[in-house]
Coordinates of all heavy atoms in Angstrom, one line a residue:
A1 N -69.2 34.7 -23.8 CA -69.0 33.4 -23.2 C -68.1 32.5 -23.9 O -67.4 31.8 -23.3 CB -70.5 32.8 -23.0
K2 N -68.4 32.5 -25.3 CA -67.4 31.7 -26.1 C -66.0 32.2 -25.9 O -65.1 31.3 -25.8 CB -67.9 31.8 -27.5 CG -67.0 30.9 -28.4 CD -67.6 30.8 -29.8 CE -66.8 30.0 -30.7 NZ -65.5 29.6 -30.6
V3 N -65.7 33.4 -25.8 CA -64.4 33.9 -25.7 C -63.8 33.5 -24.3 O -62.6 33.1 -24.2 CB -64.3 35.5 -25.9 CG1 -62.9 36.1 -25.5 CG2 -64.7 35.9 -27.2
L4 N -64.7 33.5 -23.3 CA -64.3 33.2 -22.0 C -64.0 31.6 -22.0 O -63.0 31.2 -21.4 CB -65.4 33.5 -21.0 CG -65.0 33.2 -19.5 CD1 -63.7 33.9 -19.1 CD2 -66.2 33.6 -18.6
A5 N -64.8 30.8 -22.6 CA -64.6 29.3 -22.6 C -63.3 29.1 -23.4 O -62.5 28.3 -23.0 CB -65.8 28.7 -23.4
D6 N -63.0 29.8 -24.5 CA -61.8 29.6 -25.3 C -60.6 29.9 -24.4 O -59.6 29.3 -24.3 CB -61.8 30.4 -26.5 CG -62.7 29.9 -27.6 OD1 -63.1 28.7 -27.4 OD2 -63.0 30.6 -28.6
H7 N -60.7 31.0 -23.6 CA -59.7 31.5 -22.7 C -59.5 30.4 -21.6 O -58.3 30.2 -21.3 CB -60.0 32.8 -22.1 CG -59.0 33.3 -21.1 ND1 -57.8 33.8 -21.5 CD2 -59.0 33.4 -19.8 CE1 -57.0 34.1 -20.4 NE2 -57.8 33.9 -19.3
V8 N -60.4 29.9 -21.1 CA -60.3 28.8 -20.1 C -59.6 27.6 -20.7 O -58.7 27.0 -20.0 CB -61.7 28.4 -19.5 CG1 -61.6 27.2 -18.6 CG2 -62.3 29.6 -18.6
K9 N -60.0 27.2 -21.8 CA -59.3 26.1 -22.5 C -57.8 26.3 -22.8 O -57.0 25.5 -22.5 CB -60.0 25.7 -23.9 CG -61.3 25.1 -23.7 CD -61.9 24.7 -25.1 CE -63.3 24.2 -25.0 NZ -63.9 24.0 -26.2
E10 N -57.6 27.6 -23.2 CA -56.1 27.9 -23.4 C -55.4 27.9 -22.1 O -54.2 27.5 -22.1 CB -56.1 29.3 -24.1 CG -56.5 29.2 -25.6 CD -56.6 30.7 -26.2 OE1 -56.3 31.6 -25.5 OE2 -57.0 30.7 -27.4
T11 N -56.0 28.5 -21.1 CA -55.4 28.6 -19.8 C -55.1 27.1 -19.3 O -54.1 26.8 -18.7 CB -56.2 29.3 -18.8 OG1 -56.5 30.6 -19.3 CG2 -55.6 29.4 -17.4
E12 N -56.1 26.2 -19.4 CA -55.9 24.8 -19.0 C -54.7 24.2 -19.8 O -54.0 23.4 -19.3 CB -57.3 24.0 -19.2 CG -58.3 24.3 -18.3 CD -59.7 23.7 -18.6 OE1 -59.8 23.1 -19.7 OE2 -60.5 23.6 -17.7
A13 N -54.6 24.5 -21.1 CA -53.6 23.9 -21.9 C -52.3 24.5 -21.4 O -51.2 23.7 -21.3 CB -53.8 24.3 -23.4
V14 N -52.2 25.7 -21.1 CA -51.0 26.4 -20.6 C -50.6 25.7 -19.2 O -49.4 25.3 -18.9 CB -51.0 27.9 -20.5 CG1 -49.9 28.4 -19.6 CG2 -51.1 28.5 -21.8
L15 N -51.6 25.5 -18.4 CA -51.3 24.8 -17.1 C -50.8 23.4 -17.2 O -49.9 23.0 -16.5 CB -52.6 24.9 -16.2 CG -53.1 26.2 -15.7 CD1 -54.4 26.1 -15.0 CD2 -52.0 26.8 -14.8
I16 N -51.4 22.7 -18.2 CA -51.0 21.3 -18.5 C -49.5 21.3 -18.9 O -48.6 20.6 -18.5 CB -51.9 20.6 -19.5 CG1 -53.2 20.3 -18.9 CG2 -51.2 19.3 -20.1 CD1 -54.3 19.9 -19.8
A17 N -49.2 22.3 -19.8 CA -47.8 22.4 -20.4 C -46.9 22.8 -19.2 O -45.7 22.2 -19.1 CB -47.7 23.5 -21.5
A18 N -47.3 23.7 -18.4 CA -46.5 24.2 -17.2 C -46.2 23.0 -16.3 O -45.1 22.9 -15.8 CB -47.1 25.3 -16.4
K19 N -47.3 22.2 -16.0 CA -47.1 21.0 -15.2 C -46.1 20.0 -15.8 O -45.3 19.4 -15.1 CB -48.4 20.3 -14.9 CG -48.3 19.2 -13.9 CD -49.6 18.5 -13.6 CE -49.4 17.5 -12.7 NZ -50.6 16.6 -12.4
A20 N -46.2 19.7 -17.1 CA -45.3 18.9 -17.8 C -43.9 19.4 -17.7 O -42.9 18.7 -17.4 CB -45.8 18.7 -19.3
L21 N -43.7 20.7 -17.9 CA -42.4 21.3 -17.7 C -41.9 21.2 -16.3 O -40.7 20.8 -16.1 CB -42.5 22.7 -18.2 CG -41.1 23.5 -18.1 CD1 -40.2 22.8 -19.1 CD2 -41.4 25.0 -18.6
A22 N -42.7 21.4 -15.3 CA -42.2 21.2 -13.9 C -41.9 19.8 -13.6 O -40.9 19.6 -12.9 CB -43.4 21.7 -13.0
T23 N -42.6 18.8 -14.1 CA -42.2 17.4 -14.0 C -40.9 17.1 -14.7 O -40.1 16.5 -14.1 CB -43.4 16.6 -14.6 OG1 -44.5 16.8 -13.9 CG2 -43.1 15.1 -14.5
H24 N -40.7 17.6 -15.8 CA -39.5 17.4 -16.6 C -38.3 18.0 -15.8 O -37.2 17.4 -15.7 CB -39.5 18.1 -18.0 CG -38.2 18.0 -18.7 ND1 -37.8 16.8 -19.2 CD2 -37.4 19.0 -19.0 CE1 -36.6 17.0 -19.8 NE2 -36.4 18.3 -19.7
V25 N -38.5 19.2 -15.2 CA -37.4 19.9 -14.5 C -37.1 19.0 -13.3 O -35.9 18.8 -12.9 CB -37.8 21.3 -14.0 CG1 -36.9 21.8 -12.9 CG2 -37.8 22.2 -15.3
A26 N -38.1 18.5 -12.6 CA -37.9 17.6 -11.4 C -37.1 16.4 -11.8 O -36.2 16.0 -11.0 CB -39.2 17.3 -10.7
K27 N -37.5 15.8 -12.8 CA -36.8 14.6 -13.3 C -35.4 14.9 -13.7 O -34.5 14.1 -13.4 CB -37.6 13.9 -14.5 CG -38.9 13.3 -14.1 CD -39.6 12.7 -15.3 CE -40.9 12.0 -14.9 NZ -41.6 11.5 -16.1
T28 N -35.2 16.0 -14.3 CA -33.8 16.4 -14.7 C -32.9 16.6 -13.4 O -31.8 16.2 -13.5 CB -33.8 17.7 -15.6 OG1 -34.6 17.4 -16.7 CG2 -32.5 18.1 -16.0
E29 N -33.6 17.3 -12.5 CA -32.8 17.5 -11.2 C -32.4 16.2 -10.5 O -31.3 16.0 -10.0 CB -33.5 18.4 -10.3 CG -33.7 19.9 -10.8 CD -34.6 20.7 -9.9 OE1 -35.4 20.1 -9.1 OE2 -34.5 21.9 -10.1
A30 N -33.4 15.3 -10.7 CA -33.1 13.9 -10.0 C -32.0 13.2 -10.7 O -31.1 12.6 -10.2 CB -34.4 13.1 -10.0
V31 N -32.0 13.4 -12.1 CA -31.0 12.7 -12.9 C -29.6 13.3 -12.5 O -28.6 12.6 -12.4 CB -31.2 12.7 -14.4 CG1 -30.1 12.4 -15.2 CG2 -32.4 11.9 -14.7
D32 N -29.6 14.6 -12.4 CA -28.4 15.4 -12.1 C -27.8 14.9 -10.8 O -26.7 14.7 -10.5 CB -28.6 16.9 -12.1 CG -28.7 17.5 -13.5 OD1 -28.5 16.7 -14.4 OD2 -29.2 18.6 -13.6
A33 N -28.8 14.8 -9.8 CA -28.4 14.3 -8.4 C -27.8 12.9 -8.5 O -26.8 12.6 -7.8 CB -29.6 14.3 -7.5
V34 N -28.4 12.0 -9.2 CA -27.9 10.6 -9.4 C -26.5 10.7 -10.1 O -25.6 10.0 -9.7 CB -28.8 9.8 -10.2 CG1 -28.2 8.4 -10.6 CG2 -30.1 9.6 -9.4
A35 N -26.4 11.5 -11.2 CA -25.1 11.6 -11.8 C -24.0 12.2 -10.9 O -22.8 11.7 -10.9 CB -25.3 12.5 -13.0
S36 N -24.4 13.1 -10.1 CA -23.3 13.7 -9.1 C -22.9 12.6 -8.1 O -21.8 12.5 -7.8 CB -24.0 14.9 -8.4 OG -23.1 15.4 -7.4
A37 N -24.0 11.9 -7.6 CA -23.7 10.9 -6.7 C -22.7 9.8 -7.2 O -21.8 9.2 -6.7 CB -24.9 10.2 -6.1
L38 N -23.0 9.4 -8.5 CA -22.3 8.4 -9.2 C -20.9 8.9 -9.4 O -19.8 8.3 -9.2 CB -22.9 8.1 -10.5 CG -22.1 7.0 -11.4 CD1 -22.0 5.7 -10.6 CD2 -22.9 6.8 -12.7
A39 N -20.7 10.2 -9.8 CA -19.3 10.8 -9.9 C -18.6 10.8 -8.6 O -17.3 10.4 -8.6 CB -19.4 12.2 -10.4
T40 N -19.2 11.1 -7.5 CA -18.6 11.0 -6.2 C -18.2 9.6 -5.9 O -17.1 9.3 -5.3 CB -19.6 11.6 -5.2 OG1 -19.9 12.9 -5.5 CG2 -19.0 11.5 -3.8
H41 N -19.0 8.7 -6.2 CA -18.7 7.2 -5.9 C -17.5 6.7 -6.7 O -16.7 6.1 -6.2 CB -20.0 6.4 -6.2 CG -19.7 4.9 -6.1 ND1 -19.5 4.4 -4.9 CD2 -19.5 3.9 -7.1 CE1 -19.3 3.0 -5.1 NE2 -19.3 2.7 -6.3
V42 N -17.4 7.2 -8.0 CA -16.3 6.9 -8.8 C -15.0 7.4 -8.2 O -14.0 6.7 -8.0 CB -16.4 7.4 -10.2 CG1 -15.2 7.3 -11.1 CG2 -17.5 6.6 -10.9
K43 N -15.0 8.7 -7.8 CA -13.8 9.3 -7.1 C -13.5 8.6 -5.8 O -12.3 8.3 -5.6 CB -14.1 10.7 -6.9 CG -14.1 11.7 -8.0 CD -14.4 13.1 -7.7 CE -14.6 14.0 -8.8 NZ -14.9 15.4 -8.5
E44 N -14.4 8.2 -5.0 CA -14.1 7.5 -3.8 C -13.6 6.1 -4.0 O -12.7 5.6 -3.4 CB -15.4 7.4 -2.9 CG -15.8 8.8 -2.4 CD -17.2 8.7 -1.6 OE1 -17.9 7.6 -1.8 OE2 -17.6 9.6 -1.0
T45 N -14.2 5.5 -5.1 CA -13.6 4.2 -5.5 C -12.3 4.2 -6.0 O -11.4 3.3 -5.6 CB -14.6 3.5 -6.5 OG1 -15.9 3.4 -6.1 CG2 -14.1 2.1 -7.0
E46 N -11.9 5.2 -6.8 CA -10.6 5.4 -7.3 C -9.6 5.7 -6.1 O -8.5 5.1 -6.1 CB -10.5 6.6 -8.2 CG -11.1 6.3 -9.6 CD -11.2 7.5 -10.5 OE1 -11.0 8.6 -10.0 OE2 -11.5 7.3 -11.7
A47 N -10.1 6.4 -5.1 CA -9.3 6.7 -3.9 C -9.0 5.4 -3.1 O -7.9 5.2 -2.7 CB -9.9 7.7 -2.9
V48 N -10.0 4.6 -3.0 CA -9.9 3.3 -2.3 C -8.9 2.3 -3.0 O -8.0 1.7 -2.5 CB -11.2 2.6 -2.1 CG1 -11.0 1.2 -1.7 CG2 -12.1 3.3 -1.1
H49 N -8.9 2.3 -4.4 CA -8.0 1.6 -5.2 C -6.6 2.0 -5.0 O -5.7 1.3 -5.0 CB -8.5 1.6 -6.7 CG -9.7 0.7 -6.9 ND1 -10.3 0.7 -8.2 CD2 -10.4 -0.1 -6.1 CE1 -11.3 -0.2 -8.1 NE2 -11.4 -0.6 -7.0
T50 N -6.4 3.4 -5.0 CA -5.1 4.0 -4.9 C -4.6 3.6 -3.5 O -3.4 3.2 -3.4 CB -5.1 5.5 -4.9 OG1 -5.7 5.9 -6.2 CG2 -3.8 6.1 -4.7
A51 N -5.4 3.6 -2.5 CA -5.0 3.3 -1.1 C -4.6 1.8 -1.1 O -3.6 1.4 -0.4 CB -6.1 3.6 -0.1
A52 N -5.4 0.9 -1.7 CA -5.1 -0.5 -1.8 C -3.8 -0.8 -2.5 O -3.1 -1.6 -2.0 CB -6.3 -1.3 -2.4
K53 N -3.5 -0.1 -3.5 CA -2.3 -0.2 -4.2 C -1.1 0.2 -3.4 O -0.1 -0.6 -3.3 CB -2.3 0.6 -5.6 CG -1.0 0.6 -6.3 CD -0.8 -0.5 -7.2 CE 0.3 -0.4 -8.1 NZ 1.6 -0.6 -7.6
A54 N -1.3 1.3 -2.7 CA -0.2 1.8 -1.8 C 0.1 0.8 -0.7 O 1.2 0.4 -0.3 CB -0.6 3.1 -1.2
L55 N -0.9 0.1 -0.1 CA -0.9 -0.9 0.9 C -0.1 -2.2 0.4 O 0.7 -2.7 1.0 CB -2.2 -1.3 1.5 CG -2.7 -0.3 2.5 CD1 -4.2 -0.7 2.9 CD2 -1.9 -0.2 3.7
A56 N -0.5 -2.5 -0.9 CA 0.2 -3.6 -1.4 C 1.7 -3.4 -1.7 O 2.5 -4.2 -1.5 CB -0.6 -4.0 -2.9
D57 N 2.0 -2.2 -2.2 CA 3.4 -1.8 -2.4 C 4.1 -1.8 -1.0 O 5.3 -2.2 -0.9 CB 3.5 -0.4 -3.0 CG 3.0 -0.4 -4.5 OD1 2.8 -1.5 -5.1 OD2 2.8 0.7 -5.0
H58 N 3.5 -1.3 -0.1 CA 4.1 -1.3 1.3 C 4.3 -2.7 1.8 O 5.4 -2.9 2.4 CB 3.1 -0.5 2.3 CG 3.7 -0.5 3.7 ND1 4.8 0.2 4.1 CD2 3.3 -1.1 4.8 CE1 5.0 0.0 5.4 NE2 4.1 -0.8 5.8
A59 N 3.4 -3.6 1.5 CA 3.6 -5.0 2.0 C 4.8 -5.6 1.3 O 5.6 -6.3 1.9 CB 2.3 -5.8 1.8
E60 N 4.9 -5.3 0.0 CA 6.0 -5.8 -0.8 C 7.3 -5.3 -0.2 O 8.4 -6.0 -0.1 CB 5.9 -5.5 -2.2 CG 4.8 -6.3 -3.0 CD 4.7 -5.9 -4.5 OE1 5.6 -5.2 -5.0 OE2 3.7 -6.2 -5.0
Q61 N 7.4 -4.0 0.1 CA 8.6 -3.4 0.6 C 8.9 -3.9 1.9 O 10.1 -4.2 2.3 CB 8.4 -1.9 0.7 CG 8.4 -1.2 -0.7 CD 8.0 0.3 -0.5 OE1 7.6 0.8 0.5 NE2 8.1 1.0 -1.7
T62 N 7.9 -4.2 2.8 CA 8.1 -4.7 4.2 C 8.7 -6.1 4.0 O 9.6 -6.5 4.7 CB 6.8 -4.7 4.9 OG1 6.4 -3.4 5.0 CG2 7.0 -5.3 6.3
Q63 N 8.2 -6.9 3.1 CA 8.7 -8.2 2.8 C 10.1 -8.1 2.4 O 10.9 -9.0 2.8 CB 7.8 -9.0 1.8 CG 8.3 -10.4 1.5 CD 8.2 -11.3 2.8 OE1 7.2 -11.1 3.5 NE2 9.2 -12.1 2.9
A64 N 10.5 -7.2 1.5 CA 11.9 -7.0 1.1 C 12.7 -6.8 2.3 O 13.8 -7.2 2.5 CB 12.0 -6.0 0.0
F65 N 12.2 -5.8 3.2 CA 13.1 -5.4 4.3 C 13.2 -6.6 5.3 O 14.3 -6.8 5.8 CB 12.4 -4.3 5.0 CG 12.4 -3.0 4.3 CD1 11.4 -2.1 4.4 CD2 13.5 -2.5 3.5 CE1 11.4 -0.8 3.7 CE2 13.6 -1.3 3.0 CZ 12.5 -0.5 3.0
D66 N 12.2 -7.4 5.4 CA 12.2 -8.6 6.3 C 13.3 -9.5 5.6 O 14.1 -10.1 6.4 CB 10.9 -9.3 6.4 CG 9.9 -8.5 7.2 OD1 10.3 -7.6 7.9 OD2 8.8 -8.9 7.2
T67 N 13.4 -9.7 4.4 CA 14.3 -10.5 3.7 C 15.8 -10.1 4.0 O 16.7 -10.8 4.3 CB 14.1 -10.7 2.2 OG1 12.7 -11.2 2.1 CG2 15.1 -11.6 1.5
V68 N 15.9 -8.8 3.8 CA 17.3 -8.1 4.1 C 17.7 -8.3 5.5 O 18.8 -8.7 5.8 CB 17.3 -6.6 3.6 CG1 18.5 -6.0 4.1 CG2 17.1 -6.5 2.1
A69 N 16.7 -8.1 6.4 CA 17.0 -8.2 7.8 C 17.5 -9.6 8.1 O 18.4 -9.8 9.0 CB 15.8 -7.8 8.7
E70 N 16.8 -10.6 7.6 CA 17.1 -12.0 7.9 C 18.6 -12.3 7.2 O 19.4 -13.0 7.9 CB 16.1 -12.9 7.3 CG 16.3 -14.4 7.5 CD 16.6 -14.8 8.9 OE1 15.9 -14.2 9.8 OE2 17.4 -15.7 9.1
S71 N 18.8 -11.7 6.1 CA 20.1 -12.0 5.5 C 21.2 -11.3 6.3 O 22.3 -12.0 6.6 CB 20.2 -11.3 4.1 OG 19.4 -12.0 3.2
L72 N 21.0 -10.1 6.9 CA 21.9 -9.5 7.8 C 22.2 -10.3 9.0 O 23.3 -10.4 9.5 CB 21.5 -8.1 8.1 CG 21.7 -7.1 6.9 CD1 21.0 -5.8 7.3 CD2 23.1 -6.8 6.6
A73 N 21.0 -10.8 9.6 CA 21.1 -11.6 10.8 C 22.0 -12.9 10.5 O 22.9 -13.3 11.3 CB 19.8 -12.0 11.4
E74 N 21.7 -13.5 9.4 CA 22.5 -14.7 9.0 C 24.0 -14.4 8.8 O 24.9 -15.1 9.3 CB 21.9 -15.3 7.6 CG 22.6 -16.6 7.2 CD 22.5 -17.8 8.2 OE1 21.5 -17.8 8.9 OE2 23.4 -18.6 8.2
H75 N 24.2 -13.2 8.1 CA 25.6 -12.8 8.0 C 26.3 -12.5 9.3 O 27.5 -12.9 9.5 CB 25.7 -11.5 7.2 CG 27.0 -10.9 7.0 ND1 28.0 -11.5 6.2 CD2 27.6 -9.7 7.5 CE1 29.0 -10.8 6.3 NE2 28.8 -9.7 7.0
A76 N 25.6 -12.0 10.3 CA 26.1 -11.7 11.6 C 26.5 -13.0 12.3 O 27.5 -13.1 13.0 CB 25.1 -10.8 12.5
R77 N 25.6 -14.0 12.1 CA 25.9 -15.4 12.7 C 27.1 -16.0 12.2 O 27.9 -16.5 12.9 CB 24.7 -16.2 12.6 CG 23.5 -15.9 13.5 CD 22.3 -17.0 13.5 NE 21.7 -17.1 12.2 CZ 20.6 -16.3 11.9 NH1 20.0 -15.4 12.7 NH2 20.0 -16.5 10.8
E78 N 27.3 -15.9 10.8 CA 28.4 -16.5 10.1 C 29.6 -15.7 10.5 O 30.7 -16.4 10.7 CB 28.2 -16.4 8.6 CG 27.1 -17.3 8.1 CD 26.7 -17.0 6.6 OE1 27.3 -16.1 6.0 OE2 25.9 -17.8 6.1
T79 N 29.6 -14.4 10.7 CA 30.7 -13.6 11.1 C 31.1 -14.0 12.5 O 32.4 -14.1 12.7 CB 30.4 -12.1 11.0 OG1 30.1 -11.8 9.6 CG2 31.6 -11.2 11.4
E80 N 30.2 -14.2 13.3 CA 30.5 -14.6 14.7 C 31.2 -16.0 14.7 O 32.1 -16.2 15.5 CB 29.3 -14.6 15.6 CG 29.6 -14.8 17.1 CD 30.5 -13.8 17.7 OE1 30.5 -12.6 17.2 OE2 31.3 -14.3 18.6
A81 N 30.7 -16.9 13.9 CA 31.3 -18.3 13.8 C 32.7 -18.1 13.3 O 33.6 -18.8 13.8 CB 30.5 -19.1 12.9
L82 N 32.9 -17.2 12.3 CA 34.3 -17.1 11.8 C 35.2 -16.4 12.8 O 36.4 -16.9 12.9 CB 34.3 -16.1 10.5 CG 33.7 -16.8 9.3 CD1 33.6 -15.7 8.2 CD2 34.5 -18.0 8.8
R83 N 34.7 -15.5 13.7 CA 35.5 -15.0 14.7 C 35.9 -16.0 15.8 O 37.1 -16.0 16.2 CB 34.7 -13.8 15.4 CG 34.7 -12.5 14.6 CD 34.1 -11.4 15.5 NE 34.0 -10.2 14.6 CZ 33.0 -9.4 14.5 NH1 32.0 -9.7 15.3 NH2 33.0 -8.4 13.7
T84 N 35.0 -16.8 16.1 CA 35.3 -17.9 17.0 C 36.2 -18.9 16.5 O 37.2 -19.3 17.2 CB 34.0 -18.7 17.3 OG1 33.0 -17.8 17.9 CG2 34.2 -19.8 18.3
T85 N 36.2 -19.2 15.2 CA 37.2 -20.1 14.5 C 38.6 -19.5 14.5 O 39.5 -20.1 14.8 CB 36.7 -20.4 13.1 OG1 35.4 -21.1 13.2 CG2 37.7 -21.3 12.4
A86 N 38.5 -18.1 14.2 CA 39.9 -17.4 14.1 C 40.5 -17.4 15.5 O 41.7 -17.6 15.6 CB 39.6 -15.9 13.6
K87 N 39.7 -17.2 16.5 CA 40.2 -17.1 17.9 C 40.8 -18.5 18.2 O 41.9 -18.7 18.9 CB 39.1 -16.8 18.9 CG 39.8 -16.6 20.3 CD 38.8 -15.9 21.3 CE 39.4 -15.7 22.7 NZ 40.4 -16.6 23.1
A88 N 40.1 -19.6 17.9 CA 40.5 -20.9 18.2 C 41.8 -21.2 17.5 O 42.8 -21.8 18.1 CB 39.5 -21.9 17.8
L89 N 42.0 -20.8 16.2 CA 43.2 -21.0 15.5 C 44.3 -20.2 16.1 O 45.5 -20.7 16.2 CB 43.0 -20.5 14.0 CG 42.1 -21.5 13.2 CD1 41.9 -20.9 11.8 CD2 42.9 -22.9 13.0
A90 N 44.0 -18.9 16.5 CA 45.1 -18.2 17.1 C 45.6 -18.8 18.4 O 46.8 -18.8 18.7 CB 44.6 -16.7 17.4
D91 N 44.7 -19.2 19.2 CA 45.0 -20.0 20.5 C 45.8 -21.2 20.2 O 46.8 -21.5 20.8 CB 43.7 -20.4 21.3 CG 43.0 -19.2 21.9 OD1 43.6 -18.0 21.9 OD2 41.8 -19.3 22.3
H92 N 45.4 -21.9 19.1 CA 46.1 -23.1 18.8 C 47.6 -22.8 18.3 O 48.5 -23.5 18.7 CB 45.4 -23.9 17.6 CG 46.1 -25.0 17.1 ND1 46.3 -26.2 17.8 CD2 46.7 -25.3 15.9 CE1 46.9 -27.2 17.2 NE2 47.3 -26.6 16.0
A93 N 47.8 -21.7 17.5 CA 49.1 -21.2 17.1 C 49.9 -20.9 18.3 O 51.1 -21.3 18.3 CB 48.9 -20.0 16.1
K94 N 49.3 -20.2 19.3 CA 50.1 -19.9 20.5 C 50.5 -21.2 21.3 O 51.7 -21.3 21.7 CB 49.2 -19.0 21.4 CG 49.1 -17.6 21.0 CD 48.2 -16.9 22.0 CE 47.8 -15.6 21.4 NZ 46.8 -14.8 22.3
Q95 N 49.7 -22.2 21.3 CA 50.0 -23.4 21.9 C 51.1 -24.2 21.2 O 52.0 -24.7 21.7 CB 48.8 -24.4 22.0 CG 47.8 -23.9 23.0 CD 46.5 -24.6 23.0 OE1 46.3 -25.5 22.1 NE2 45.5 -24.4 23.9
M96 N 51.0 -24.0 19.8 CA 52.1 -24.7 19.0 C 53.4 -24.0 19.3 O 54.5 -24.6 19.2 CB 51.7 -24.7 17.5 CG 50.5 -25.6 17.2 SD 50.6 -27.3 17.7 CE 51.9 -27.8 16.6
D97 N 53.4 -22.7 19.3 CA 54.7 -21.8 19.5 C 55.2 -22.3 20.8 O 56.4 -22.5 21.0 CB 54.3 -20.4 19.5 CG 54.2 -19.8 18.1 OD1 54.5 -20.5 17.1 OD2 53.7 -18.7 17.9
A98 N 54.4 -22.4 21.8 CA 54.8 -22.8 23.2 C 55.4 -24.2 23.2 O 56.5 -24.4 23.7 CB 53.7 -22.7 24.2
A99 N 54.6 -25.1 22.5 CA 55.2 -26.5 22.3 C 56.5 -26.5 21.6 O 57.4 -27.2 21.9 CB 54.3 -27.3 21.6
G100 N 56.7 -25.7 20.6 CA 57.9 -25.5 19.8 C 59.1 -25.0 20.7 O 60.2 -25.5 20.6
S101 N 58.7 -24.1 21.5 CA 59.7 -23.5 22.5 C 60.2 -24.7 23.4 O 61.4 -24.8 23.8 CB 59.2 -22.4 23.2 OG 58.9 -21.2 22.3
V102 N 59.1 -25.4 24.0 CA 59.6 -26.4 24.9 C 60.4 -27.5 24.2 O 61.4 -28.0 24.7 CB 58.2 -27.1 25.5 CG1 58.5 -28.4 26.2 CG2 57.5 -26.0 26.3
A103 N 60.0 -27.8 22.9 CA 60.8 -28.9 22.2 C 62.2 -28.4 21.9 O 63.1 -29.2 22.1 CB 60.0 -29.2 20.9
K104 N 62.4 -27.1 21.7 CA 63.8 -26.6 21.5 C 64.6 -26.6 22.7 O 65.8 -27.0 22.8 CB 63.7 -25.2 20.9 CG 63.4 -25.0 19.4 CD 63.4 -23.6 19.1 CE 62.8 -23.4 17.7 NZ 62.7 -22.0 17.2
A105 N 63.9 -26.2 23.8 CA 64.6 -26.3 25.1 C 65.0 -27.7 25.5 O 66.1 -28.0 26.0 CB 63.7 -25.7 26.2
L106 N 64.1 -28.6 25.2 CA 64.4 -30.0 25.5 C 65.5 -30.5 24.6 O 66.4 -31.3 25.1 CB 63.2 -30.9 25.3 CG 62.1 -30.8 26.5 CD1 60.8 -31.6 26.0 CD2 62.7 -31.3 27.8
A107 N 65.5 -30.1 23.3 CA 66.6 -30.5 22.5 C 67.9 -30.0 22.9 O 68.9 -30.7 22.8 CB 66.2 -30.1 21.0
R108 N 68.0 -28.8 23.4 CA 69.2 -28.2 23.9 C 69.6 -28.9 25.1 O 70.9 -29.0 25.4 CB 69.0 -26.7 24.1 CG 69.1 -25.9 22.8 CD 69.1 -24.4 23.1 NE 67.9 -24.0 23.9 CZ 67.1 -23.2 23.5 NH1 67.2 -22.6 22.3 NH2 66.0 -22.9 24.2
H109 N 68.6 -29.3 25.8 CA 69.0 -29.9 27.2 C 69.5 -31.3 27.0 O 70.4 -31.8 27.5 CB 67.7 -29.9 28.0 CG 67.9 -30.5 29.4 ND1 68.7 -29.9 30.3 CD2 67.5 -31.7 30.0 CE1 68.7 -30.7 31.4 NE2 68.0 -31.7 31.2

């Protein structure tokens, strides 16, 4: 009976140890799951930061393109104004030549 009682006590001790080990394994698995979730979150956060940086760079480039486009439009307006002035000067020169021809004809007359 004593041997059986000792065996029962030893078995209970082994069962307590086994339960403690099972609890430790479960907690370790939970910690691993949390660590894995955290690692995934860090990767996703880095991806979001990378995307945000790319969007910021794109916005800067778009602003630069808008500035260039506005400069080109201003250049086109200035060029058109110069063409108009050049045409007016050419027309004026033709009128002056015609007036000079008339003046010469009058002087000969």
Side-chain angles (χ1 to χ4, degrees):
K2 182 171 179 346
V3 172
L4 184 58
D6 288 345
H7 178 70
V8 169
K9 285 181 186 177
E10 289 171 1
T11 302
E12 287 175 348
V14 168
L15 289 174
I16 290 170
K19 183 177 180 191
L21 182 59
T23 301
H24 175 71
V25 167
K27 288 179 181 176
T28 301
E29 288 173 349
V31 169
D32 288 346
V34 169
S36 177
L38 183 58
T40 300
H41 175 70
V42 167
K43 287 179 185 175
E44 290 171 350
T45 300
E46 288 172 350
V48 168
H49 286 176
T50 300
K53 173 82 169 79
L55 284 172
D57 290 346
H58 178 69
E60 287 178 14
Q61 291 172 353
T62 299
Q63 182 61 40
F65 289 144
D66 289 347
T67 300
V68 169
E70 180 56 35
S71 294
L72 286 172
E74 181 64 25
H75 177 68
R77 289 189 291 272
E78 290 170 356
T79 300
E80 187 57 34
L82 289 174
R83 284 187 183 138
T84 301
T85 300
K87 183 171 182 335
L89 287 172
D91 291 346
H92 179 68
K94 287 178 188 175
Q95 291 172 355
M96 293 304 290
D97 284 344
S101 296
V102 169
K104 284 181 187 177
L106 286 174
R108 283 190 298 245
H109 181 67

